[in-house]
Amino acid sequence: MDSVECPRGCREPSNTKEDTVKDDFTPSKIGTKDYWDDAYQRELQTFKDIGDVGEIWFGEESMARVLRWMERERIPENAAILDIGTGNGVLLVELAKSGYTNLTGIDYSAASVELARSILQTENISNVEVKEVDFLNCPGELSCFDLCIDKGTFDAISLNPDNTEEGKACYVQALRGVLKEDGLFVITTCNWTKEQLLQMFCQGFGFVNELPTPRFQFGGKTGNSVTAIILKRLH
């Protein structure tokens, strides 16, 4: 499996308290649906040809990090879990292999959904639902999840050249709509720091925890190239 520690086009945040919610990166085609339709169509064809599942955003360790947290927190195996922007569905595969039984993955790319379903079928995993859904435009279509996981989708939305601020606001609203009260949200990002995320998700969410991620030093400062935090939906 290929892996990428940071999706192409993202920046490396400094994770300093001085960071604000202001964008300091350039919008990119990576934030467009056309880009992902083309990318997953290529990955789907590659999977059909040679069985390669394609890229894993942030690498396999990013999945292991979330799974270790779920085990520590004793997330029930029957918890309703939503993978937002499932891509190739590899996270769903790992969750199912870890014993979780109530799994749903969504993506707005039809090719992504077909790829994820194909990979799940190859792994003989049949109790996972994968839907073609635009998370920013699905009022009432999804609800009552105990846990939502995002590994790069909010990053892509943040890079959309059109209506970036509207997209981020719609994301926060959609997340509130799909999570139960006291439901948990795990986000892994290379665009945003902890402080920035807390600002953007301040309406209706509370901070729970930050997961350890790789650290780097540059110019006498220490930071993280990836941020992973847990939020809770407030009443």
Side-chain angles (χ1 to χ4, degrees):
M1 294 182 184
D2 294 333
S3 65
V4 285
E5 187 58 34
C6 184
R8 294 181 295 272
C10 297
R11 70 177 179 88
E12 291 189 342
S14 63
N15 258 14
T16 62
K17 291 184 179 180
E18 290 76 14
D19 288 326
T20 68
V21 75
K22 183 179 182 232
D23 296 354
D24 60 357
F25 48 87
T26 303
S28 165
K29 64 181 180 179
I30 293 176
T32 66
K33 185 175 185 297
D34 286 344
Y35 175 88
W36 293 111
D37 283 339
D38 290 343
Y40 284 119
Q41 191 60 54
R42 290 193 301 271
E43 291 197 3
L44 175 61
Q45 189 59 53
T46 299
F47 179 74
K48 290 178 178 178
D49 291 343
I50 61 174
D52 185 349
V53 301
E55 293 184 345
I56 300 174
W57 274 32
F58 307 111
E60 294 184 12
E61 171 57 24
S62 66
M63 296 189 295
R65 183 185 303 128
V66 172
L67 286 166
R68 287 194 297 268
W69 169 80
M70 293 172 67
E71 182 179 357
R72 288 196 304 270
E73 294 301 313
R74 298 182 180 179
I75 303 297
E77 290 185 347
N78 64 348
I81 300 172
L82 177 65
D83 182 18
I84 302 171
T86 196
N88 56 16
V90 172
L91 176 58
L92 294 172
V93 171
E94 295 304 312
L95 288 166
K97 287 182 176 180
S98 296
Y100 294 97
T101 59
N102 190 357
L103 302 172
T104 302
I106 61 168
D107 205 293
Y108 67 178
S109 170
S112 158
V113 171
E114 184 179 351
L115 175 61
R117 288 173 177 170
S118 298
I119 292 172
L120 286 161
Q121 183 177 15
T122 299
E123 295 286 344
N124 295 315
I125 297 171
S126 59
N127 61 338
V128 175
E129 187 171 16
V130 184
K131 301 179 179 181
E132 183 182 343
V133 173
D134 182 349
F135 187 63
L136 301 187
N137 296 283
C138 62
E141 191 170 345
L142 302 163
S143 62
C144 297
F145 285 94
D146 299 296
L147 173 65
C148 291
I149 303 173
D150 180 324
K151 194 163 61 67
T153 298
F154 190 69
D155 279 344
I157 290 169
S158 302
L159 290 167
N160 193 323
D162 301 315
N163 301 319
T164 302
E165 293 304 317
E166 180 183 352
K168 289 185 289 188
C170 286
Y171 184 101
V172 176
Q173 182 177 0
L175 184 63
R176 279 187 54 81
V178 301
L179 269 176
K180 294 178 180 178
E181 289 188 2
D182 295 327
L184 298 172
F185 173 53
V186 186
I187 180 169
T188 302
T189 169
C190 69
N191 276 349
W192 304 106
T193 66
K194 170 187 170 183
E195 289 73 27
Q196 291 172 322
L197 289 171
L198 293 181
Q199 288 182 58
M200 288 184 285
F201 288 87
C202 64
Q203 296 297 321
F205 292 91
F207 176 70
V208 176
N209 198 5
E210 181 175 13
L211 303 183
T213 58
R215 296 180 67 79
F216 67 90
Q217 286 187 324
F218 181 78
K221 294 184 178 180
T222 300
N224 297 71
S225 58
V226 174
T227 300
I229 67 170
I230 318 296
L231 301 174
K232 177 184 286 189
R233 184 192 184 282
L234 303 178
H235 295 220

